[in-house]
Amino acid sequence: MPRAPLDLTGKTFGALTVIRRAGSSPKGASLWLCHCARCGRDAVIEGHRLRDKRDCGCAYRESRADLSGQHIGVLQVIRREGSDKHGNILYLCRCDLCGGEKVLPASTIRARLASCGCKKTDPQRMEAMSPLGVAKQVYHGVQVIQATREEANRNSQTGVRGVFPFRGGYVAAVQIKGVRWRSGRYSTIEEAQKALAVQKEAMLDDAGVTDEVIAKFRPPKKPKK
Ligand SMILES: [Zn+2]
Ligand SMILES: [Zn+2]
């Protein structure tokens, strides 16, 4: 005697909820229309396969999809870097905020993090400043872009950034990490500029802002085609 088909309507299997019967497969298996809460899609699945399922197959599809080249949240996905011990596929990513590169599992990348983790290092400072623009520029508490800017301010009286007219001569001044340095009086702009460059480099070095760090914040301009 043929068994009466089980009614699975309303039953759940992981993220799947059975909506209604959807006929039979060519081989005679009962088909069920299911809603997958994980991805929000509906899928028709054979009844006997439902017990082993936790989703419509979206997790597997996503795990196989290559994220390389995509820009997700603050991360630019560069390339695959194998997988971790749990079988999660790893990708090398570059963070928009700190410019740092980090290997992250696909699931983490998909979560659209607010940062690669760099934002956590100095939360108070980050909170105090406008989010994206400034966060991009801070390294060890130094606003790198601002500290290494070469162009003079628009209202500069000498045309040289950090050099100001003073008692018939010129002084240089620079502020890094809240520490302000001011030179003595020089008779020419060039002398003041030179003193400033030396001082600035020393102060940046002291703060850990090496040439390598600066290069990260100020990538070398691409050669023109
Ligand atoms: Zn799904
Ligand atoms: Zn980062």
Side-chain angles (χ1 to χ4, degrees):
M1 217 170 82
R3 269 192 305 159
L6 222 54
D7 187 6
L8 299 177
T9 305
K11 292 226 157 38
T12 59
F13 303 89
L16 294 172
T17 303
V18 181
I19 301 169
R20 58 180 152 78
R21 179 76 191 261
S24 302
S25 75
K27 285 181 178 171
S30 61
L31 296 175
W32 298 89
L33 179 69
C34 303
H35 178 74
C36 174
R38 189 181 176 279
C39 68
R41 281 187 287 243
D42 291 345
V44 173
I45 298 169
E46 292 178 5
H48 63 92
R49 293 177 55 214
L50 273 170
R51 250 164 261 286
D52 301 326
K53 283 203 162 278
R54 295 211 311 264
D55 59 64
C56 70
C58 49
Y60 179 75
R61 285 195 301 274
E62 281 175 17
S63 74
R64 305 286 293 182
D66 192 346
L67 300 181
S68 301
Q70 292 188 43
H71 194 265
I72 301 173
V74 299
L75 300 171
Q76 176 66 44
V77 184
I78 300 171
R79 63 168 179 269
R80 266 190 75 157
E81 289 275 301
S83 41
D84 68 12
K85 60 180 176 190
H86 306 294
N88 299 311
I89 295 172
L90 302 174
Y91 290 92
L92 177 66
C93 301
R94 187 178 298 119
C95 172
D96 289 347
L97 302 182
C98 68
E101 291 183 356
K102 206 165 182 177
V103 174
L104 296 167
S107 54
T108 304
I109 297 167
R110 282 206 175 80
R112 295 180 181 276
L113 307 176
S115 78
C116 73
C118 55
K119 249 181 146 176
K120 285 186 197 133
T121 57
D122 202 352
Q124 283 170 335
R125 193 177 185 94
M126 293 297 174
E127 268 172 35
M129 295 183 295
S130 78
L132 212 115
V134 181
K136 258 182 191 170
Q137 307 177 356
V138 176
Y139 182 84
H140 286 194
V142 177
Q143 294 186 43
V144 178
I145 299 291
Q146 209 253 331
T148 57
R149 186 166 286 145
E150 304 275 358
E151 312 87 81
N153 290 334
R154 207 185 301 173
N155 57 0
S156 167
Q157 290 179 269
T158 62
V160 176
R161 188 176 185 81
V163 176
F164 310 91
F166 178 70
R167 291 185 185 169
Y170 300 93
V171 289
V174 61
Q175 182 168 329
I176 287 171
K177 251 179 137 171
V179 178
R180 191 167 171 81
W181 171 85
R182 191 186 147 109
S183 76
R185 181 184 161 281
Y186 292 94
S187 49
T188 66
I189 293 177
E190 287 73 20
E191 283 172 299
Q193 190 177 8
K194 217 168 159 182
L196 176 67
V198 172
Q199 179 67 22
K200 203 168 166 179
E201 199 185 342
M203 286 172 87
L204 286 172
D205 251 1
D206 191 49
V209 182
T210 59
D211 288 350
E212 201 181 320
V213 172
I214 294 169
K216 267 193 184 170
F217 284 84
R218 291 183 173 277
K221 291 189 180 85
K222 284 172 192 155
K224 283 179 189 144
K225 282 173 193 168

